[in-house]
Each structure stands twice: as structure tokens, then as C-alpha cells.
Amino acid sequence: MFYYAAHGLTIQSRLKIPGLKAIQKTKNTDVVVEVGAVTDPKEKEDGRRTVVNRESEILIHWREWATISIRNGKRIVVDPVEGADDRIIELLVAGSGLGVLLHQRQRVTLHASAVVIGDGAVAFVGEKGMGKSTTATAFMKEGYPVITDDVLSIDTTTEPPRVPPGGRHFKLWPDAAAATLDSDAENLSALYPGYPKKGYSAPDGPTSSFPLQCIYLLGYDENTTKGLPRADVPSPTNAYMHVTLNSYALRFLKKKGIGQWYFESVAEIVKSVPVRILAREYNTEKIKETIEFVEKDLRDVQLQGRV
């Protein structure tokens, strides 16, 4: 049995969950992860993944790997496909499983990474391939602690909203690993057989939550290299749309399966936290320039907040 602390929760798990902070055995757990039989959803589609949203349970079925039942924000039951690689199952629990469970606990949960800069959390949000893990890893190598990678949960019951520590297991393309981790990249293994991305678990990071001070929506400008990196300020409506589109809730449940609380919470976040669109050149060798730009841009954001 494994015990972890992540996202402000204590987790008891039959499976190893990569990137989470291991803790001593405890009887007081918020979440239990177990392996057991899960009835395949009758609504299975022909595609690789099917999601079924029931009143107190969400089923996620991957044809090649597993069916996962996420129940009441308290329990995850994993039913692996025979012969599925354990490493894949563990990654599914660490990402999709916890991402959906946190939504059940009424947390706004984003597909994002976050680091500590100054006294607050800075989030890097984006679709697959936008460089969230690469950006967070590069900041880590410059001395900025990583709060979480891939799954970012936001506690909106506080003012300002706060980000608790999550998982710190990076999934990096080989060129990104080489550009950010230097010699460490040579010893990295593939996340699982046949997959090109490398896995890297960051050293222990923060153990407490941080106020969310800025959200950067990651993007690439393929039309020009002049004036990059660049931070654009979206309208409140566009900021709301971008944050919503990069949530685990919308990714798995679609709009009709999400409660009103979620949309109201996102609206409060983009109202109280600066949101910027960070346009960069598609070049991992320029990551240092991105770090320097964000450092300066944050100082400007903080100055504007005092005006």
C-alpha cells in the first residue's frame, strides 16, 4: 500500500502514483485508490476512450488500457485490461483519474503546470504540445520550486484563490529534456515502452498552497519571431473561455455534465487573477528567453496591481 499527500488531500493507493509526495501510513485518508472489477460502460463508443457521467460516479474506459471508476470524489477503482503496462495505468490515475476526482470535490482543475515565483503560484496552461512541462522544468532548473505538473487544482474558497501542491512527474519530449535538464536528460527512461516522451520526477517541492498570482495561456507564434516572447492581455470573455477549455471537467464531461458552480468559479478566478496569453517561438533552445520574459512581465503585472 502507498500513501501520498497531494492537492491538499491524503491518498491511500494500491498503485504507485508517479510524482506524488509519499508520506507515512495513516488511517486518516481522503481518497482511496484500489484495483478491482469495474463494469464496462454499456455506452462504450468505437473510439479509444469513452466517458460516462452518472450521478455519483464517472467511468472512463480506454479500450487498450483500463476502465476507471471515480466515485463521489473519494474513491478510484481501476480495472486494467489484461496485459496493460502498469506504468500506463499509473499515469492514467495520476492524470485523468485525479483530475476528474478533484472536479467531483468542486475544485477547478486545469490541464496546467505551476511554479512558485516570489510569494505566489504562476500557472502555465495549454493544450497538449504547448510546452507546459517544458516551461515548468526550465523554471525549476533556475531555482523556482514546482508546485504541480499536468494537473493543477485551484481552491476557490479563499481570496485570492490558492494552488495546493500536486504531482511533479514531468512528461518531456527528448529535445525538451535535453534543453532543460542538461546532463540529467541522458539518464531518463521512456514513460512506457514504445512511447518517445521521457519521465522525470522533480525533487521534493512545496508542502503548502500558494495564492495564484498569474495565469499564462501558452501558445506559439508561427508567423514571426520578432518581438517574441510576447504577453497579450485577453478580454475577460476570452480569458474565461481559454481557462474553461483547458479544464479536466470540459475535457471529460463536456458542458452538459458540469455543474453551475464550476462556471461561476472560473468566472471568479479570471476576475481576481491576471490572465496573459504568452506567445513564444517554437524553439526549445529559446526557453531561457521565456523565463527572463516572464520574470519581467510578472514585475509589470504586480506594479499594475498596485496602481
Short mmCIF file of all heavy atoms in Angstrom, two decimals, residues 113-157:
data_model
loop_
_atom_site.label_atom_id
_atom_site.label_comp_id
_atom_site.label_asym_id
_atom_site.label_seq_id
_atom_site.Cartn_x
_atom_site.Cartn_y
_atom_site.Cartn_z
N SER A 113 0.62 23.40 -15.52
CA SER A 113 1.73 23.28 -14.57
C SER A 113 1.83 24.59 -13.80
O SER A 113 1.31 25.62 -14.25
CB SER A 113 3.04 22.99 -15.31
OG SER A 113 2.95 21.80 -16.05
N ALA A 114 2.51 24.55 -12.66
CA ALA A 114 2.66 25.77 -11.87
C ALA A 114 3.96 25.75 -11.09
O ALA A 114 4.42 24.70 -10.64
CB ALA A 114 1.48 25.95 -10.90
N VAL A 115 4.56 26.92 -10.96
CA VAL A 115 5.78 27.09 -10.18
C VAL A 115 5.59 28.25 -9.20
O VAL A 115 4.66 29.05 -9.35
CB VAL A 115 7.01 27.38 -11.08
CG1 VAL A 115 7.25 26.23 -12.05
CG2 VAL A 115 6.83 28.69 -11.85
N VAL A 116 6.47 28.29 -8.20
CA VAL A 116 6.44 29.39 -7.24
C VAL A 116 7.41 30.46 -7.70
O VAL A 116 8.59 30.20 -7.91
CB VAL A 116 6.85 28.92 -5.82
CG1 VAL A 116 6.82 30.09 -4.85
CG2 VAL A 116 5.92 27.81 -5.35
N ILE A 117 6.88 31.67 -7.88
CA ILE A 117 7.72 32.82 -8.19
C ILE A 117 7.36 33.91 -7.19
O ILE A 117 6.21 34.34 -7.11
CB ILE A 117 7.51 33.32 -9.63
CG1 ILE A 117 7.86 32.21 -10.63
CG2 ILE A 117 8.36 34.56 -9.91
CD1 ILE A 117 7.68 32.59 -12.08
N GLY A 118 8.34 34.33 -6.40
CA GLY A 118 8.05 35.28 -5.34
C GLY A 118 7.22 34.61 -4.27
O GLY A 118 7.55 33.53 -3.77
N ASP A 119 6.09 35.22 -3.95
CA ASP A 119 5.22 34.69 -2.89
C ASP A 119 3.99 33.98 -3.42
O ASP A 119 3.08 33.64 -2.66
CB ASP A 119 4.76 35.84 -1.97
CG ASP A 119 5.91 36.50 -1.25
OD1 ASP A 119 6.88 35.80 -0.92
OD2 ASP A 119 5.85 37.73 -1.04
N GLY A 120 3.95 33.76 -4.75
CA GLY A 120 2.73 33.19 -5.30
C GLY A 120 2.97 32.14 -6.37
O GLY A 120 4.10 31.90 -6.81
N ALA A 121 1.88 31.51 -6.77
CA ALA A 121 1.90 30.49 -7.81
C ALA A 121 1.67 31.12 -9.17
O ALA A 121 0.82 32.00 -9.33
CB ALA A 121 0.83 29.44 -7.54
N VAL A 122 2.44 30.68 -10.15
CA VAL A 122 2.26 31.11 -11.54
C VAL A 122 1.93 29.87 -12.36
O VAL A 122 2.68 28.89 -12.35
CB VAL A 122 3.53 31.79 -12.08
CG1 VAL A 122 3.36 32.14 -13.56
CG2 VAL A 122 3.85 33.04 -11.27
N ALA A 123 0.79 29.90 -13.04
CA ALA A 123 0.31 28.75 -13.78
C ALA A 123 0.59 28.89 -15.27
O ALA A 123 0.47 29.99 -15.83
CB ALA A 123 -1.19 28.57 -13.56
N PHE A 124 0.95 27.77 -15.90
CA PHE A 124 1.15 27.71 -17.34
C PHE A 124 0.14 26.71 -17.89
O PHE A 124 0.22 25.52 -17.65
CB PHE A 124 2.58 27.27 -17.66
CG PHE A 124 3.62 28.20 -17.08
CD1 PHE A 124 4.32 27.86 -15.94
CD2 PHE A 124 3.86 29.43 -17.68
CE1 PHE A 124 5.27 28.72 -15.40
CE2 PHE A 124 4.80 30.30 -17.15
CZ PHE A 124 5.51 29.94 -16.01
N VAL A 125 -0.82 27.24 -18.64
CA VAL A 125 -1.98 26.48 -19.08
C VAL A 125 -1.91 26.30 -20.59
O VAL A 125 -1.49 27.22 -21.31
CB VAL A 125 -3.28 27.22 -18.70
CG1 VAL A 125 -4.50 26.44 -19.15
CG2 VAL A 125 -3.32 27.49 -17.20
N GLY A 126 -2.34 25.15 -21.07
CA GLY A 126 -2.34 24.97 -22.52
C GLY A 126 -2.72 23.56 -22.92
O GLY A 126 -2.74 22.63 -22.11
N GLU A 127 -3.01 23.40 -24.20
CA GLU A 127 -3.33 22.10 -24.75
C GLU A 127 -2.08 21.24 -24.82
O GLU A 127 -0.96 21.70 -24.56
CB GLU A 127 -3.94 22.27 -26.15
CG GLU A 127 -5.21 23.07 -26.19
CD GLU A 127 -5.70 23.30 -27.62
OE1 GLU A 127 -5.00 22.86 -28.55
OE2 GLU A 127 -6.76 23.91 -27.78
N LYS A 128 -2.25 19.98 -25.20
CA LYS A 128 -1.11 19.10 -25.39
C LYS A 128 -0.16 19.70 -26.41
O LYS A 128 -0.58 20.23 -27.44
CB LYS A 128 -1.57 17.73 -25.87
CG LYS A 128 -2.25 16.89 -24.80
CD LYS A 128 -2.59 15.51 -25.33
CE LYS A 128 -3.22 14.64 -24.25
NZ LYS A 128 -3.55 13.29 -24.75
N GLY A 129 1.14 19.62 -26.11
CA GLY A 129 2.13 20.10 -27.04
C GLY A 129 2.48 21.56 -26.90
O GLY A 129 3.34 22.08 -27.64
N MET A 130 1.86 22.26 -25.94
CA MET A 130 2.14 23.68 -25.76
C MET A 130 3.34 23.96 -24.86
O MET A 130 3.74 25.11 -24.68
CB MET A 130 0.91 24.40 -25.20
CG MET A 130 -0.20 24.60 -26.21
SD MET A 130 0.28 25.73 -27.55
CE MET A 130 0.47 24.55 -28.90
N GLY A 131 3.92 22.91 -24.28
CA GLY A 131 5.15 23.10 -23.51
C GLY A 131 4.96 23.41 -22.04
O GLY A 131 5.80 24.07 -21.43
N LYS A 132 3.88 22.92 -21.45
CA LYS A 132 3.65 23.18 -20.02
C LYS A 132 4.75 22.56 -19.15
O LYS A 132 5.33 23.23 -18.30
CB LYS A 132 2.28 22.61 -19.62
CG LYS A 132 1.10 23.21 -20.35
CD LYS A 132 -0.20 22.58 -19.94
CE LYS A 132 -0.28 21.12 -20.31
NZ LYS A 132 -0.22 20.88 -21.78
N SER A 133 5.02 21.27 -19.39
CA SER A 133 6.04 20.59 -18.61
C SER A 133 7.43 21.15 -18.91
O SER A 133 8.25 21.31 -17.99
CB SER A 133 6.03 19.08 -18.90
OG SER A 133 4.82 18.50 -18.46
N THR A 134 7.69 21.46 -20.16
CA THR A 134 8.98 22.03 -20.54
C THR A 134 9.22 23.35 -19.83
O THR A 134 10.30 23.61 -19.28
CB THR A 134 9.04 22.25 -22.07
OG1 THR A 134 8.82 21.00 -22.73
CG2 THR A 134 10.39 22.81 -22.48
N THR A 135 8.19 24.19 -19.82
CA THR A 135 8.32 25.50 -19.17
C THR A 135 8.55 25.35 -17.67
O THR A 135 9.43 25.99 -17.09
CB THR A 135 7.06 26.34 -19.44
OG1 THR A 135 6.86 26.45 -20.86
CG2 THR A 135 7.19 27.73 -18.84
N ALA A 136 7.76 24.50 -17.03
CA ALA A 136 7.91 24.31 -15.58
C ALA A 136 9.27 23.72 -15.24
O ALA A 136 9.91 24.11 -14.25
CB ALA A 136 6.79 23.41 -15.06
N THR A 137 9.74 22.77 -16.05
CA THR A 137 11.06 22.17 -15.80
C THR A 137 12.16 23.21 -15.92
O THR A 137 13.10 23.25 -15.12
CB THR A 137 11.32 21.02 -16.80
OG1 THR A 137 10.25 20.09 -16.75
CG2 THR A 137 12.61 20.30 -16.47
N ALA A 138 12.06 24.07 -16.93
CA ALA A 138 13.07 25.11 -17.12
C ALA A 138 13.09 26.07 -15.94
O ALA A 138 14.17 26.47 -15.47
CB ALA A 138 12.79 25.87 -18.42
N PHE A 139 11.93 26.44 -15.44
CA PHE A 139 11.88 27.31 -14.25
C PHE A 139 12.48 26.59 -13.04
O PHE A 139 13.18 27.21 -12.23
CB PHE A 139 10.44 27.74 -13.96
CG PHE A 139 10.04 29.00 -14.67
CD1 PHE A 139 9.38 28.94 -15.89
CD2 PHE A 139 10.32 30.24 -14.12
CE1 PHE A 139 9.01 30.11 -16.55
CE2 PHE A 139 9.95 31.41 -14.76
CZ PHE A 139 9.30 31.34 -15.99
N MET A 140 12.21 25.31 -12.91
CA MET A 140 12.76 24.53 -11.80
C MET A 140 14.29 24.56 -11.82
O MET A 140 14.94 24.73 -10.78
CB MET A 140 12.26 23.09 -11.87
CG MET A 140 12.78 22.20 -10.76
SD MET A 140 12.47 20.45 -11.09
CE MET A 140 13.60 20.17 -12.47
N LYS A 141 14.87 24.39 -13.00
CA LYS A 141 16.34 24.38 -13.10
C LYS A 141 16.93 25.75 -12.79
O LYS A 141 18.12 25.86 -12.48
CB LYS A 141 16.76 23.92 -14.50
CG LYS A 141 16.41 22.48 -14.80
CD LYS A 141 17.11 21.51 -13.86
CE LYS A 141 18.56 21.33 -14.17
NZ LYS A 141 19.21 20.28 -13.36
N GLU A 142 16.10 26.80 -12.85
CA GLU A 142 16.56 28.14 -12.49
C GLU A 142 16.31 28.45 -11.02
O GLU A 142 16.51 29.58 -10.57
CB GLU A 142 15.86 29.19 -13.38
CG GLU A 142 16.26 29.13 -14.84
CD GLU A 142 17.74 29.46 -15.06
OE1 GLU A 142 18.25 30.37 -14.39
OE2 GLU A 142 18.37 28.77 -15.89
N GLY A 143 15.84 27.45 -10.28
CA GLY A 143 15.67 27.62 -8.84
C GLY A 143 14.26 27.89 -8.37
O GLY A 143 14.03 28.11 -7.16
N TYR A 144 13.28 27.86 -9.27
CA TYR A 144 11.89 28.11 -8.89
C TYR A 144 11.21 26.77 -8.55
O TYR A 144 11.16 25.87 -9.39
CB TYR A 144 11.12 28.80 -10.01
CG TYR A 144 11.63 30.20 -10.31
CD1 TYR A 144 12.47 30.43 -11.40
CD2 TYR A 144 11.28 31.27 -9.50
CE1 TYR A 144 12.94 31.71 -11.67
CE2 TYR A 144 11.74 32.54 -9.77
CZ TYR A 144 12.58 32.76 -10.85
OH TYR A 144 13.05 34.03 -11.12
N PRO A 145 10.67 26.62 -7.35
CA PRO A 145 10.04 25.35 -6.97
C PRO A 145 8.80 25.05 -7.82
O PRO A 145 8.02 25.94 -8.14
CB PRO A 145 9.63 25.57 -5.50
CG PRO A 145 10.47 26.72 -5.03
CD PRO A 145 10.68 27.59 -6.23
N VAL A 146 8.66 23.79 -8.18
CA VAL A 146 7.49 23.34 -8.94
C VAL A 146 6.38 22.95 -7.96
O VAL A 146 6.61 22.18 -7.03
CB VAL A 146 7.84 22.14 -9.83
CG1 VAL A 146 6.59 21.59 -10.51
CG2 VAL A 146 8.86 22.54 -10.88
N ILE A 147 5.20 23.50 -8.19
CA ILE A 147 4.04 23.14 -7.36
C ILE A 147 3.36 21.90 -7.92
O ILE A 147 3.03 20.98 -7.18
CB ILE A 147 3.03 24.30 -7.29
CG1 ILE A 147 3.68 25.56 -6.74
CG2 ILE A 147 1.83 23.90 -6.43
CD1 ILE A 147 2.76 26.76 -6.75
N THR A 148 3.17 21.87 -9.22
CA THR A 148 2.48 20.74 -9.83
C THR A 148 2.74 20.72 -11.33
O THR A 148 3.09 21.75 -11.92
CB THR A 148 0.96 20.83 -9.56
OG1 THR A 148 0.32 19.61 -9.99
CG2 THR A 148 0.32 22.00 -10.30
N ASP A 149 2.58 19.55 -11.92
CA ASP A 149 2.68 19.41 -13.37
C ASP A 149 1.48 18.61 -13.87
O ASP A 149 1.10 17.60 -13.27
CB ASP A 149 3.98 18.71 -13.78
CG ASP A 149 4.12 18.60 -15.29
OD1 ASP A 149 4.11 19.66 -15.95
OD2 ASP A 149 4.20 17.48 -15.81
N ASP A 150 0.90 19.09 -14.93
CA ASP A 150 -0.18 18.42 -15.66
C ASP A 150 -1.55 18.60 -15.02
O ASP A 150 -2.52 18.92 -15.70
CB ASP A 150 0.11 16.93 -15.84
CG ASP A 150 -0.81 16.31 -16.87
OD1 ASP A 150 -0.92 16.87 -17.98
OD2 ASP A 150 -1.42 15.27 -16.59
N VAL A 151 -1.67 18.37 -13.70
CA VAL A 151 -2.96 18.54 -13.01
C VAL A 151 -2.82 19.66 -11.99
O VAL A 151 -2.09 19.53 -11.01
CB VAL A 151 -3.40 17.24 -12.31
CG1 VAL A 151 -4.72 17.46 -11.58
CG2 VAL A 151 -3.52 16.10 -13.30
N LEU A 152 -3.51 20.76 -12.22
CA LEU A 152 -3.47 21.91 -11.32
C LEU A 152 -4.86 22.13 -10.75
O LEU A 152 -5.81 22.39 -11.50
CB LEU A 152 -2.98 23.15 -12.06
CG LEU A 152 -2.81 24.43 -11.24
CD1 LEU A 152 -1.68 25.28 -11.81
CD2 LEU A 152 -4.09 25.26 -11.21
N SER A 153 -5.00 22.00 -9.44
CA SER A 153 -6.30 22.24 -8.80
C SER A 153 -6.27 23.59 -8.10
O SER A 153 -5.25 23.99 -7.54
CB SER A 153 -6.62 21.13 -7.80
OG SER A 153 -5.70 21.10 -6.74
N ILE A 154 -7.40 24.28 -8.16
CA ILE A 154 -7.50 25.63 -7.59
C ILE A 154 -8.59 25.64 -6.53
O ILE A 154 -9.74 25.25 -6.78
CB ILE A 154 -7.82 26.66 -8.68
CG1 ILE A 154 -6.76 26.62 -9.79
CG2 ILE A 154 -7.90 28.06 -8.09
CD1 ILE A 154 -7.07 27.52 -10.98
N ASP A 155 -8.21 26.07 -5.35
CA ASP A 155 -9.16 26.21 -4.24
C ASP A 155 -9.76 27.61 -4.31
O ASP A 155 -9.09 28.61 -4.06
CB ASP A 155 -8.42 26.00 -2.91
CG ASP A 155 -9.36 26.10 -1.71
OD1 ASP A 155 -10.56 26.37 -1.90
OD2 ASP A 155 -8.88 25.91 -0.58
N THR A 156 -11.02 27.69 -4.68
CA THR A 156 -11.68 28.99 -4.86
C THR A 156 -12.45 29.43 -3.61
O THR A 156 -13.18 30.41 -3.66
CB THR A 156 -12.64 28.94 -6.06
OG1 THR A 156 -13.59 27.89 -5.87
CG2 THR A 156 -11.88 28.70 -7.36
N THR A 157 -12.27 28.71 -2.51
CA THR A 157 -12.95 29.11 -1.28
C THR A 157 -12.18 30.19 -0.54
O THR A 157 -12.66 30.71 0.47
CB THR A 157 -13.15 27.90 -0.33
OG1 THR A 157 -11.87 27.39 0.07
CG2 THR A 157 -13.93 26.80 -1.03
#
